[in-house]
Amino acid sequence: MNWLHYLLEANLYLCIFYAVYCLFLNRETHYTLNRVYLLLSCIISFVLPVVQIGWLKALESPTTTFIIPSNGKQAIDHKLAAQPASSLQELLLYAYILGAIVLTTVLLVRLYQLAKLTKATKTLVHDKYKLISIEGSNTAFSFFNYLFIGTKTQANNIIIRHELVHIRQKHSADIVFLELIKILNWFNPLIYLLQISLKTIHEYIADEQTAAQESDALSYSSFLVNNAYGLNGSSLAHSFFNYNLLKKRIIMLNQKRSGKLARLKYLVAVPISAGLLCASTLVFSKSYGFIDLMPKQQIVTPSANAQTSSADTIKADPIRIKKEDRTSKGYQYEETGYLVNNKTDYRVIITEKNGEQKEYFKSKSTPEELATLKSKYGYTFPKMMIYPKLPPPPPAPPAPGKKTKGIDAKVPPPPPPPNPEKVKKAPKVVKVQEAIPVGEPIAPAHPSASAKLPPPPPPADPMDPLYKYIAKHVRYPAAARNNRITGQVTVGFKLSNGKINGVKVLKSADPQIDKEVARVVSDFDGKLASLNQGDYTVTVALELATSNDKFISNNIDKEKSQVVVVGYVD
């Protein structure tokens, strides 16, 4: 239910930002800053959940012990336990989609109604804005570059100046943006209050600039009171006649202007954003934190083999880990092999399209479950492998003085040392090897003896210093590791006087992985003196292992002439 967790977290942050606005900024007359604050709070609230600070996360040491009940039955039937959660998740998803569809339909209907009004006779105002007269009506409102005004309205010039402020300030774009946010968060009641607050700020801005062109604010306030009973326009438009906001507009119009120091209040958004970012990293356990601002390299150390304290459990050692892949029908899965009672067993975790995970064991799956895995998910367990039993160790010798089967099993005394006078010393033999020209065979000294020299050691790989440097310094990118991205990166470079330059990616696996490998190869400051000048390539393979794996470090696969970098996932 990652989508639900993301929405709830984003709406929680949105509520916090709006609460700060109501407590500290609502009464300030810096209307433009209030407008910017409300719009940015909507954007930041949806960005913060996908951002995290990896440096704040505590390091975790993985263990290699996996507990399986010895009676052959699982403690919880995962399939039956997942059904209620799956039904609830589907119900919430359908309810959310239904509400979003309803609000989307309402928005499209209102846009269609405004589009019909724009087909009436238009008059250009200032050669840019379109004035549309509505016959027999006393309404006045604006939407983007269209200004709608009824023929029965009075003092049209003041009303037109007021509505032109909305048009020049692009207030209609704010309203449409809030409508889209409302569709995504229709279940949050505060989003409707936030939309009302933004419309109120728009009216404050238009009133302030319109009153500046009049003789004084009092006369404009009187005009608002005398013209407060006109018809409202569309909810997407800015209507001049808004009786509900009349009192607030008059109060704020005659209120003392806020000083410059009051602008410092808006800096409260900075520590609030930082605090929410830390909370997003530490409090919420999630898989949608795609952006890591300050990743911290995790140091993994092999843990000792743990012993189970219960007689009903046994220890299962991982024998084979298959990296996460997709089945033939597009389902993501993770397959793990275990050694249990000298026999292997396989576990697979299937990820549904909605993010739900289901777990199956080969030894415990029924024929119906195996058929479901094959038909629905396109997955089949691999063949079972049995490891051969090792021969038992030789019995230990009996302890001195211990009786075995009625016989005193004393250790016999060691044989007496030989008499040095009766032992003849063998003559000392000195082998002389003559120098043999290069290319001539070596003749044996005796027909029964072979005088072949041992073969020379294989030459060292001239790229070995670079391989070791890459294996030591390449770090698996956190985002790629969390998203289960693996692959091979081939990097090409030019070699001049033993130095590497002109590094470029020839075969890509992932932008972040490519960047990390290219960085390490470029940083190599050693010399490859035994290689000639020219173009060369190096391949780096990145693989994943789960936290239940035994410790695996970066290594060099000399058979494939590549460096293997291992990343760990939960």
Side-chain angles (χ1 to χ4, degrees):
M1 301 177 69
N2 291 333
W3 63 273
L4 179 59
H5 296 162
Y6 171 76
L7 283 177
L8 292 179
E9 186 178 351
N11 279 270
L12 174 62
Y13 299 156
L14 187 61
C15 293
I16 294 175
F17 279 115
Y18 185 66
V20 172
Y21 169 79
C22 294
L23 292 175
F24 300 103
L25 308 176
N26 189 28
R27 305 297 297 177
E28 300 297 331
T29 60
H30 297 298
Y31 305 128
T32 302
L33 291 178
N34 284 347
R35 176 191 178 191
V36 172
Y37 176 89
L38 290 180
L39 293 176
L40 285 181
S41 64
C42 295
I43 299 174
I44 295 175
S45 298
F46 282 87
V47 173
L48 285 178
V50 300
V51 180
Q52 60 180 349
I53 302 177
W55 181 78
L56 295 177
K57 288 187 176 180
L59 298 181
E60 298 180 359
S61 298
T63 61
T64 60
T65 301
F66 185 78
I67 306 302
I68 300 178
S70 61
N71 56 7
K73 296 182 179 179
Q74 296 186 27
I76 299 176
D77 189 351
H78 294 279
K79 185 176 180 180
L80 295 178
Q83 288 180 354
S86 177
S87 301
L88 178 60
Q89 181 179 358
E90 292 179 357
L91 181 61
L92 292 176
L93 178 62
Y94 294 149
Y96 173 78
I97 293 176
L98 179 61
I101 291 176
V102 171
L103 289 187
T104 303
T105 304
V106 172
L107 175 62
L108 294 177
V109 170
R110 291 173 178 173
L111 290 174
Y112 175 73
Q113 293 174 348
L114 288 174
K116 288 177 59 178
L117 291 176
T118 58
K119 296 180 180 180
T121 304
K122 307 179 186 66
T123 304
L124 288 180
V125 179
H126 302 306
D127 297 330
K128 186 175 181 181
Y129 312 114
K130 298 176 182 179
L131 177 64
I132 298 177
S133 299
I134 301 176
E135 293 294 335
S137 176
N138 62 343
T139 184
F141 58 93
S142 61
F143 184 72
F144 284 101
N145 289 347
Y146 292 94
L147 196 161
F148 304 89
I149 189 167
T151 56
K152 294 183 179 181
T153 56
Q154 300 178 359
N156 289 350
N157 292 334
I158 298 178
I159 296 176
I160 290 175
R161 286 200 299 268
H162 177 93
E163 296 301 325
L164 286 179
V165 175
H166 291 305
I167 295 175
R168 287 193 297 267
Q169 295 269 337
K170 307 295 183 183
H171 291 168
S172 296
D174 299 354
I175 299 303
V176 173
F177 174 72
L178 259 295
E179 287 290 333
L180 297 178
I181 295 294
K182 187 170 68 175
I183 291 175
L184 296 176
N185 307 280
W186 60 266
F187 54 87
N188 186 358
L190 288 184
I191 195 67
Y192 302 91
L193 299 179
L194 190 148
Q195 187 179 35
I196 294 175
S197 298
L198 185 60
K199 285 185 176 181
T200 304
I201 292 174
H202 292 166
E203 295 302 327
Y204 292 163
I205 294 174
D207 289 339
E208 184 180 44
Q209 296 189 17
T210 306
Q213 302 178 16
E214 299 296 322
S215 58
D216 54 10
L218 182 60
S219 60
Y220 183 74
S221 301
S222 301
F223 172 78
L224 291 179
V225 173
N226 296 331
N227 295 271
Y229 297 99
L231 296 178
N232 288 331
S234 173
S235 60
L236 295 179
H238 293 87
S239 179
F240 182 83
F241 304 105
N242 194 332
Y243 182 77
N244 296 328
L245 294 180
L246 178 62
K247 182 177 180 180
K248 290 183 179 180
R249 291 169 64 182
I250 294 176
I251 291 176
M252 296 302 293
L253 189 63
N254 295 276
Q255 184 172 334
K256 183 180 179 182
R257 304 293 97 177
S258 301
K260 294 183 178 180
L261 290 178
R263 298 177 180 177
L264 297 178
K265 290 184 178 181
Y266 296 91
L267 295 178
V268 72
V270 177
I272 291 177
S273 300
L276 294 180
L277 180 58
C278 295
S280 176
T281 302
L282 297 175
V283 178
F284 296 93
S285 177
K286 56 192 178 182
S287 59
Y288 48 83
F290 305 115
I291 304 175
D292 197 342
L293 297 181
M294 299 176 63
K296 186 171 184 179
Q297 182 64 29
Q298 184 173 3
I299 302 175
V300 183
T301 57
S303 60
N305 290 334
Q307 296 182 353
T308 57
S309 58
S310 173
D312 295 332
T313 59
I314 61 174
K315 183 175 70 175
D317 297 327
I319 61 171
R320 188 176 70 87
I321 296 296
K322 184 177 181 180
K323 66 181 181 180
E324 196 172 86
D325 206 342
R326 290 188 178 273
T327 65
S328 60
K329 295 190 176 182
Y331 288 89
Q332 198 172 17
Y333 75 96
E334 183 178 359
E335 180 187 87
T336 313
Y338 292 97
L339 178 65
V340 183
N341 296 330
N342 294 326
K343 296 182 180 180
T344 56
D345 190 13
Y346 285 92
R347 179 188 67 177
V348 64
I349 300 177
I350 303 290
T351 303
E352 296 276 3
K353 301 297 185 182
N354 55 13
E356 178 189 353
Q357 292 185 339
K358 294 184 179 180
E359 182 183 56
Y360 298 90
F361 285 87
K362 181 175 182 180
S363 62
K364 300 175 179 61
S365 297
T366 62
E368 291 78 9
E369 291 176 337
L370 295 175
T372 301
L373 284 172
K374 185 175 181 180
S375 60
K376 179 180 179 181
Y377 302 109
Y379 173 82
T380 304
F381 280 106
K383 294 181 179 180
M384 191 68 71
M385 296 181 296
I386 306 296
Y387 280 84
K389 295 184 178 180
L390 298 176
K402 183 177 180 181
K403 291 185 178 182
T404 304
K405 296 182 180 180
I407 302 175
D408 190 2
K410 292 184 178 180
V411 178
N419 190 352
E421 296 180 356
K422 296 182 179 180
V423 177
K424 295 182 180 181
K425 294 184 179 180
K428 186 176 182 181
V429 178
V430 179
K431 294 183 179 180
V432 179
Q433 178 67 45
E434 296 180 356
I436 301 175
V438 178
E440 294 187 7
I442 302 175
H446 190 272
S448 62
S450 176
K452 291 184 180 179
L453 294 178
D461 190 345
M463 297 279 284
D464 194 60
L466 178 60
Y467 289 158
K468 292 181 179 179
Y469 184 84
I470 294 175
K472 181 179 179 181
H473 291 85
V474 169
R475 297 293 179 264
Y476 214 114
R481 184 180 64 250
N482 295 336
N483 293 330
R484 309 293 201 274
I485 298 177
T486 61
Q488 292 184 349
V489 181
T490 301
V491 176
F493 59 87
K494 295 182 180 296
L495 193 64
S496 178
N497 297 327
K499 288 291 187 178
I500 290 177
N501 54 68
V503 177
K504 59 182 179 179
V505 177
L506 302 179
K507 180 182 178 183
S508 174
D510 177 75
Q512 295 184 355
I513 294 176
D514 300 344
K515 183 178 179 181
E516 173 66 11
V517 175
R519 178 191 67 80
V520 175
V521 175
S522 301
D523 292 345
F524 177 70
D525 55 355
K527 271 194 173 185
L528 304 176
S530 58
L531 294 177
N532 297 328
Q533 181 174 339
D535 296 334
Y536 295 88
T537 61
V538 61
T539 301
V540 181
L542 288 95
E543 300 179 354
L544 292 177
T546 62
S547 58
N548 290 329
D549 269 335
K550 292 182 179 178
F551 176 71
I552 304 174
S553 61
N554 298 350
N555 59 82
I556 303 172
D557 189 348
K558 294 187 176 180
E559 294 183 359
K560 298 182 179 179
S561 299
Q562 66 180 11
V563 181
V564 180
V565 178
V566 180
Y568 287 85
V569 295
D570 296 332

